[in-house]
Amino acid sequence: MALIGTLAVASPLAATDTTVYTVPAGHATTFNVSVLNRGSTAMTVRIAIAAADIPTDSEWIEYGATLAAAAPLGRTGLVAGPGDRVVVWASSADASFRVEGFEKEIV
């Protein structure tokens, strides 16, 4: 069964690697990641597509991106396979992350 739409949302603790979404076994996912800085000061964010909850250096797709107060950031057209995780990090607890996409069972 396919899942379409919001796959995960999170407002993680500051300076903490947080797995917000894991592709289920036997599935592939095409997705977008959006982050919004809800705070009144700039923050730094990171996004990874990783094999484990702690990404390796090569798994980060955004690292150290600066978001001004009330600013958004988006990464689109991402693809992940069974067991892959979307891991996020923000320097402030004022970050909202959203993963939206299409999850499909693979044969």
Side-chain angles (χ1 to χ4, degrees):
M1 176 179 204
L3 178 62
I4 300 170
T6 301
L7 303 175
V9 294
S11 294
L13 298 173
T16 304
D17 287 339
T18 303
T19 299
V20 295
Y21 173 72
T22 301
V23 180
H27 289 74
T29 302
T30 301
F31 62 100
N32 305 321
V33 178
S34 301
V35 59
L36 174 68
N37 178 355
R38 300 183 324 271
S40 59
T41 60
M43 71 168 60
T44 304
V45 298
R46 303 174 187 168
I47 302 169
I49 302 172
D53 291 329
I54 303 297
T56 63
D57 290 345
S58 63
E59 293 174 318
W60 294 101
I61 60 171
E62 283 289 349
Y63 195 92
T66 300
L67 292 182
L73 170 78
R75 289 296 302 256
T76 61
L78 304 171
V79 178
D84 284 342
R85 296 158 173 82
V86 177
V87 181
V88 300
W89 181 99
S91 61
S92 166
D94 290 326
S96 293
F97 290 89
R98 183 178 194 91
V99 179
E100 296 178 320
F102 180 79
E103 184 181 279
K104 177 73 171 139
E105 188 173 8
I106 54 178
V107 181

